[in-house]
Amino acid sequence: MYMRRRSKKKHYRLTRLSEFLPKVLKKENLSISTLDPTIAAAWKTAVGPLISNQTAPVRFTDGTLHVKVATSAWMQQLQFMKNEIIEKVNERLAQKKISSLYFSIGRLTAKELHGKEEMELPQFDPNILRERDKRIVAESIRSIPDEELKSIVERVMIKGIINRRFRS
């Protein structure tokens, strides 16, 4: 009996950057926020200073806003207020709409706990990078058309280079 051979072609599936970038950053112990700033600002104004000091929106995927909460007591209280919070946040968002909230308990950084409005970019000494490192970073980000994404990738690469240098 004749059996048909299967094609040896590999089938690749395109993956969104938002799907794998947070995993790579977590694996490399790099903490750079990939959350849209408009969503973070809408969250802070919608829930107010009391709640925003105990919570931090982490990521937004498929209509679900993932929020890190300081304690289990806060998480339980926010579960009761979930529908009201979704309505308030959606009122402040122009394009993206939140359909659900997912709360998880996590350790909030001092910056998140004290509710500073602007996130400061990590400062680094450019003298730490060698000319070769600077050239590699520049060549890697040259083909990225989006300026915001380009700056994120540049910061991740620089932070990764610095972390590897200090580990060794």
Side-chain angles (χ1 to χ4, degrees), residues 83-98:
N83 292 333
E84 183 183 340
I85 292 172
I86 291 172
E87 288 175 17
K88 285 183 177 182
V89 173
N90 283 337
E91 286 174 7
R92 287 160 176 77
L93 290 175
Q95 295 173 338
K96 298 178 182 176
K97 296 298 177 190
I98 295 171

Side-chain angles (χ1 to χ4, degrees), residues 27-76:
K27 182 180 176 184
E28 293 295 322
N29 288 331
L30 300 172
S31 60
I32 294 177
S33 177
T34 56
L35 181 70
D36 185 0
T38 58
I39 295 175
W43 173 263
K44 282 187 179 253
T45 57
V47 298
L50 182 65
I51 294 175
S52 70
N53 285 341
Q54 299 298 321
T55 60
V58 180
R59 73 177 183 273
F60 179 73
T61 53
D62 299 327
T64 302
L65 180 62
H66 297 259
V67 180
K68 193 165 41 167
V69 183
T71 64
S72 60
W74 273 105
M75 188 165 112
Q76 184 176 11

Side-chain angles (χ1 to χ4, degrees), residues 124-142:
F124 66 94
D125 183 10
N127 298 327
I128 292 175
L129 294 180
R130 298 179 185 134
E131 287 301 317
R132 178 179 172 269
D133 298 332
K134 292 176 186 176
R135 192 174 58 251
I136 290 171
V137 171
E139 288 173 5
S140 299
I141 65 171
R142 185 180 317 143

Side-chain angles (χ1 to χ4, degrees), residues 113-127:
L113 276 174
H114 299 300
K116 292 192 177 178
E117 291 298 318
E118 289 187 15
M119 220 172 133
E120 300 161 7
L121 296 177
Q123 297 298 318
F124 66 94
D125 183 10
N127 298 327

